Amino acid sequence: QVQLVDSGGGLVQAGDSLRLSCAASGGTFSSYHMGWFRQAPGKERVFVAAVTWSGSSTYYADSVKGRFTITRDNAKNTVFLQMNSLKPEDTAVYYCAAHLSILGIRTSPRYWGQGTQVTVSS
């Protein structure tokens, strides 16, 4: 059983940056592919970014490519999402996720964090 704790959300203005963190425990962190999803009010939860267990490969939704960067620190059991040039449409609850397969992390993660709110004002 893997436990994930998201943090780092907040209220920012358009154009600002934020870095989200996700601390993992209860499993072998370096075995899991990690990802971030987001859910805006009234909308479904959607994929944002993923990183393979080694950190060697990353994947992004088209809407965040070039602005967001996902990284991980296997020594600290933590994954990060650096969000730059934030837009009002990035406003959502962001969820950390984990899965043992790269397909699973992008479509149906096994484990979820509790979510952290990101609000971008114009």
Side-chain angles (χ1 to χ4, degrees):
Q1 188 78 8
V2 175
Q3 292 82 45
L4 303 174
V5 179
D6 310 322
S7 62
L11 172 62
V12 298
Q13 293 187 335
D16 285 351
S17 298
L18 271 179
R19 189 174 83 153
L20 306 184
S21 299
C22 172
S25 62
T28 304
F29 180 72
S30 59
S31 296
Y32 287 86
H33 306 298
M34 300 297 296
W36 290 93
F37 285 67
R38 68 185 182 187
Q39 187 168 18
K43 296 186 177 181
E44 294 185 350
R45 193 175 301 187
V46 296
F47 170 79
V48 174
V51 60
T52 54
W53 67 270
S54 64
S56 61
S57 296
T58 55
Y59 306 87
Y60 297 95
D62 288 342
S63 58
V64 306
K65 279 181 182 176
R67 300 188 298 122
F68 290 12
T69 303
I70 186 170
T71 58
R72 65 189 295 160
D73 184 339
N74 285 347
K76 296 183 178 180
N77 291 358
T78 304
V79 62
F80 305 96
L81 185 67
Q82 178 67 42
M83 305 186 295
N84 298 329
S85 303
L86 282 162
K87 305 175 181 180
E89 51 264 43
D90 294 318
T91 295
V93 178
Y94 284 72
Y95 297 88
C96 177
H99 203 287
L100 289 173
S101 83
I102 194 60
L103 176 61
I105 193 58
R106 299 179 67 176
T107 59
S108 55
R110 175 80 181 272
Y111 301 104
W112 294 96
Q114 83 286 359
T116 184
Q117 176 71 48
V118 172
T119 304
V120 184
S121 67
S122 56

